[in-house]
Amino acid sequence: MKNFIKNNALSLFFLAAFLLSLVGQSFAGNADANQQRLAEGGAPLSWVSYVTSSDFTADVAENWQSEYLQFLLFILATVWLVQRGSTESKKPGEEGGESDAEQKTGRYAESDSPAWAAAAGWRRSLYGNSLGLVMGAVFVLSWLGQSVSGQASYNTQQLAQLEDPVSWGEYVVSADFWNRTLQNWQSEFLAVLSMVVLSVYLRQRGSTQSKPVGAAHDTTGVEG
């Protein structure tokens, strides 16, 4: 168990941080929602009722979809685009999907390579793009979840104001949906931009996201 925790400490740390943040969001959101309901003369919601509500689901899903969109675009963009001096970039001149020898696929696969890396045809192609495909699938599912739960939450407000509910198609082109969506997207894109550019000039000793402290600014694709 000790070795398992040590060997998986990074993922366990972020899993714990995710769960604690999600639970904290549920309690804070429940308290905020109940304050609004009481101010409007309504009855408060229990915690269980709140975490199974469309409001909570929409809030969670809209954050998830923006995060996975960020990773999806970053994964795909770094195949073809470079940033000289950044740890987040390949070296200029290495753009593209690389050769089988560089990727250790097909006849260049090694004894400890994943089985599908050595396979031929669709299995190698599928495995060779599996990270982007999974990130893309989670993004699409999260986006759909946000749109459906967001529609339900929006229609609840519409009915409370004695206004007509909207269809799913009407909601996904509405200002409410895109306001919620784009405010998350812009922050994710800014965060990626900051990491790409700041890693050219700034350092964090011992981090895989930073070059060695003494590395030149134009050193590209090197992590310390």
Side-chain angles (χ1 to χ4, degrees):
M1 179 59 72
K2 183 178 180 180
N3 285 337
F4 174 82
I5 293 175
K6 180 179 180 181
N7 292 335
N8 297 278
L10 188 59
S11 57
L12 290 172
F13 171 79
F14 279 103
L15 175 61
F18 160 70
L19 293 174
L20 289 172
S21 299
L22 185 62
V23 171
Q25 178 190 354
S26 71
F27 282 105
N30 185 209
D32 182 57
N34 282 339
Q35 285 181 354
Q36 295 182 31
R37 290 175 68 88
L38 290 172
E40 296 169 356
L45 289 173
S46 68
W47 179 82
V48 173
S49 296
Y50 175 72
V51 296
T52 56
S53 69
S54 58
D55 286 338
F56 180 71
T57 304
D59 288 342
V60 172
E62 75 178 57
N63 283 285
W64 287 12
Q65 59 92 0
S66 64
E67 295 290 347
Y68 280 94
L69 175 64
Q70 172 198 159
F71 281 117
L72 172 63
L73 293 181
F74 189 66
I75 289 166
L76 298 180
T78 52
V79 175
W80 300 101
L81 305 178
V82 297
Q83 176 62 54
R84 185 178 181 86
S86 177
T87 60
E88 306 300 317
S89 168
K90 294 189 290 188
K91 296 177 182 178
E94 295 182 355
E95 299 91 338
E98 303 180 354
S99 66
D100 284 346
E102 291 172 313
Q103 288 290 310
K104 300 180 180 180
T105 59
R107 63 191 180 93
Y108 298 100
E110 300 179 346
S111 58
D112 58 351
S113 295
W116 279 28
W122 66 270
R123 288 183 297 169
R124 189 198 309 173
S125 178
L126 179 63
Y127 187 70
N129 296 282
S130 56
L131 182 59
L133 289 171
V134 169
M135 291 292 183
V138 176
F139 162 67
V140 170
L141 292 173
S142 299
W143 185 89
L144 287 173
Q146 176 199 349
S147 67
V148 172
S149 56
Q151 178 206 4
S153 177
Y154 183 79
N155 281 339
T156 298
Q157 297 177 21
Q158 289 288 97
L159 293 172
Q161 297 169 2
L162 303 179
E163 296 182 7
D164 293 333
V166 299
S167 67
W168 179 82
E170 291 172 325
Y171 180 70
V172 295
V173 297
S174 69
D176 181 83
F177 177 76
W178 284 104
N179 177 54
R180 293 169 67 96
T181 298
L182 291 173
Q183 65 180 297
N184 283 279
W185 287 10
Q186 56 87 12
S187 64
E188 302 300 340
F189 296 152
L190 177 62
V192 173
L193 172 63
S194 300
M195 189 64 189
V196 169
V197 175
L198 292 179
S199 69
V200 177
Y201 303 104
L202 305 180
R203 309 286 187 270
Q204 180 59 55
R205 189 183 187 98
S207 175
T208 61
Q209 301 305 302
S210 168
K211 292 181 285 192
V213 176
H217 289 328
D218 63 355
T219 302
T220 307
V222 175
E223 299 174 344

